[in-house]
Amino acid sequence: MLLRRMQWMSDGDGRWELDAETPVTMEGTARPVPGDPLPLGLSRGPRVTRPKQLDFFHRFMASPFVPSFSASRDGISVHHAHLLHLTDSWSFTILEKILVPKLVSVVKEKLANRHEEASWTKDLKKHLHDIMSLGVGTELLITPDTTLLLELYDIKKGDRGKAILHHKLPRQNVTFEASWPGLFVDKNGVYWDVPLSLSADLASVGSSSGLSYHLLLQQNSGEPKCFGGDETNDVPIALLPGLCAKAAISIKKSIDAWRKKEDKLKNVQPYDVFLSDSHVSFTGIVGAVASGYLGDCSRRVSTQNETQRSNAFRMFDERNKFSAFADLFASVTFTAQYGNFQRLFLDLTKASARFDIASGSLFLSGASRLAQDFFFSRRPDIETFCDVCPDVTVSLQQQKPGPFC
């Protein structure tokens, strides 16, 4: 999707469940299906809302219509937002989504039957429900630190709504969110609708190094359904009705081996301020996580492939529908960047490699068995090596024209 963040963050294995951007609905976001392995990116601060993203493209990038593409849903569609500031602390938005393939089919049909008396206007009005989707939203700044966001999408096509209350505390963010239905996406790219999803989120922010923590309460109600009507997929156990509580704490340390802040263009704003310095850096994270489940969703801890092969603490009480999970995790990241992301072409080249130990208990037990095998001159098996080998993620980023990479 064109609105995807330029500063990439992993939202799959080994990371906290960060919202993923998606073109399949007007709101443009979906939550990953909750899962273990474990969270390493603990901060989950406020994101720029979809209306503000579109308004930025309209105002500053000369894009009155912002395109998106979904291979599994509507194909190419274009979006437009009308943002109205009613007061200094209150704004109202009207969103429009036009489905290009359906618009093209209507125009082709009209050209094929151009001898009929029906006018173009009447024909478009007749198909307007299929061609266009509408959404409305309002954002209210209650206090300088408290924001309330109400959104309603796909009006008259199966309404989708969302309410978010965000409050800033010193070095912390508190977020309360209600979605009806809540949109989730699993690791296979299949989207799921949960009739009602409620969550409360507390996260530490603003610290590039040091102690971080994250607390989450999430309540899902109703029977999940596959988005788009494909019922051939099995419903993820984590989305079944119930209450989930998760807590994570970590210590992070970042070291700059080299950083260059010179050679920047004066009076030129970088496309992304977080990518404006050439540097070589290392980041290490170590921490622990614990989670508890009450209700039908508790069965996920008893399923081996949900927690993968691990020596982590697991408890499952089938009678009371309660389960718990706890483990350690660690990560090391190497990043090298050249360029300030200010010029129009090729002013950003970035490479990074991340080594994740998703289950600290599995790593420690594997390292212990490996040490014993070497001490007693035994030949270690391949599973022991796999237990101590981290997951490796390598990414390369190169600027093309403007902010596109």
Side-chain angles (χ1 to χ4, degrees), residues 261-307:
K261 295 187 176 182
E262 296 82 11
D263 298 335
K264 289 185 180 180
L265 299 177
K266 294 183 179 179
N267 301 321
V268 177
Q269 183 72 19
Y271 292 108
D272 189 337
V273 68
F274 296 105
L275 299 175
S276 60
D277 292 333
S278 300
H279 67 276
V280 176
S281 63
F282 298 86
T283 301
I285 300 174
V286 62
V289 67
S291 56
Y293 308 88
L294 183 63
D296 294 339
C297 63
S298 62
R299 290 190 288 113
R300 63 186 299 271
V301 174
S302 67
T303 306
Q304 183 68 17
N305 61 2
E306 286 289 328
T307 53

Side-chain angles (χ1 to χ4, degrees), residues 48-329:
V48 178
T49 63
R50 183 64 176 275
K52 288 184 176 179
Q53 289 180 340
L54 294 175
D55 185 64
F56 175 83
F57 272 81
H58 302 337
R59 291 175 179 268
F60 302 106
M61 300 191 69
S63 301
F65 294 99
V66 179
S68 66
F69 175 75
S70 174
S72 60
R73 288 288 294 172
D74 304 317
I76 299 176
S77 59
V78 292
H79 305 254
H80 184 80
H82 304 275
L83 184 59
L84 307 174
H85 293 278
L86 304 179
T87 67
D88 292 339
S89 59
W90 186 18
S91 63
F92 182 80
T93 307
I94 300 176
L95 296 177
E96 299 172 357
K97 176 182 178 181
I98 300 175
L99 305 179
V100 176
K102 292 185 178 181
L103 177 61
V104 172
S105 65
V106 170
V107 173
K108 286 183 176 179
E109 180 183 349
K110 185 60 182 176
L111 290 175
N113 303 319
R114 58 182 179 272
H115 299 297
E116 296 182 1
E117 295 181 358
S119 66
W120 281 81
T121 304
K122 291 182 179 180
D123 206 27
L124 285 176
K125 285 182 178 180
K126 183 177 67 174
H127 295 90
L128 196 59
H129 182 269
D130 297 327
I131 296 173
M132 180 180 292
S133 298
L134 293 176
V136 295
T138 182
E139 186 172 7
L140 178 63
L141 188 64
I142 302 175
T143 70
D145 297 323
T146 307
T147 304
L148 175 63
L149 178 65
L150 300 173
E151 297 177 325
L152 188 64
Y153 298 101
D154 291 330
I155 299 174
K156 295 183 179 181
K157 288 187 177 182
D159 294 342
R160 310 181 64 91
K162 182 181 293 186
I164 302 175
L165 179 66
H166 180 78
H167 180 68
K168 294 180 181 179
L169 295 173
R171 306 179 72 86
Q172 300 170 95
N173 278 323
V174 181
T175 304
F176 300 94
E177 181 175 331
S179 301
W180 59 93
L183 183 65
F184 293 82
V185 58
D186 62 23
K187 297 176 182 179
N188 298 320
V190 179
Y191 291 90
W192 298 89
D193 270 340
V194 175
L196 178 61
S197 180
L198 307 174
S199 65
D201 198 285
L202 172 65
S204 60
V205 295
S207 177
S208 58
S209 297
L211 185 68
S212 296
Y213 59 87
H214 195 158
L215 307 174
L216 171 68
L217 286 174
Q218 183 161 339
Q219 172 74 46
N220 287 338
S221 303
E223 188 67 25
K225 294 183 178 180
C226 189
F227 181 81
D230 185 3
E231 302 297 338
T232 61
N233 297 283
D234 295 330
V235 176
I237 299 177
L239 297 184
L240 294 177
L243 176 67
C244 168
K246 181 179 287 189
I249 186 171
S250 74
I251 297 177
K252 179 180 179 181
K253 180 64 176 178
S254 297
I255 300 175
D256 284 339
W258 171 75
R259 183 172 292 271
K260 185 178 182 181
K261 295 187 176 182
E262 296 82 11
D263 298 335
K264 289 185 180 180
L265 299 177
K266 294 183 179 179
N267 301 321
V268 177
Q269 183 72 19
Y271 292 108
D272 189 337
V273 68
F274 296 105
L275 299 175
S276 60
D277 292 333
S278 300
H279 67 276
V280 176
S281 63
F282 298 86
T283 301
I285 300 174
V286 62
V289 67
S291 56
Y293 308 88
L294 183 63
D296 294 339
C297 63
S298 62
R299 290 190 288 113
R300 63 186 299 271
V301 174
S302 67
T303 306
Q304 183 68 17
N305 61 2
E306 286 289 328
T307 53
Q308 293 188 347
R309 193 164 58 88
S310 170
N311 290 338
F313 168 78
R314 284 196 298 271
M315 181 184 72
F316 176 58
D317 185 348
E318 185 176 5
R319 180 179 179 182
N320 296 316
K321 293 186 177 181
F322 173 78
S323 62
F325 174 86
D327 204 352
L328 305 173
F329 59 88

Side-chain angles (χ1 to χ4, degrees), residues 353-366:
R354 193 181 75 238
F355 303 86
D356 289 333
I357 299 175
S359 175
S361 60
L362 184 64
F363 174 82
L364 293 176
S365 63

Side-chain angles (χ1 to χ4, degrees), residues 6 61 271 341 343-346 399-405:
M6 288 181 289
M61 300 191 69
Y271 292 108
F341 210 18
R343 296 173 174 84
L344 188 59
F345 294 101
L346 305 179
Q399 182 198 14
K400 299 302 183 183
F404 296 98
C405 297

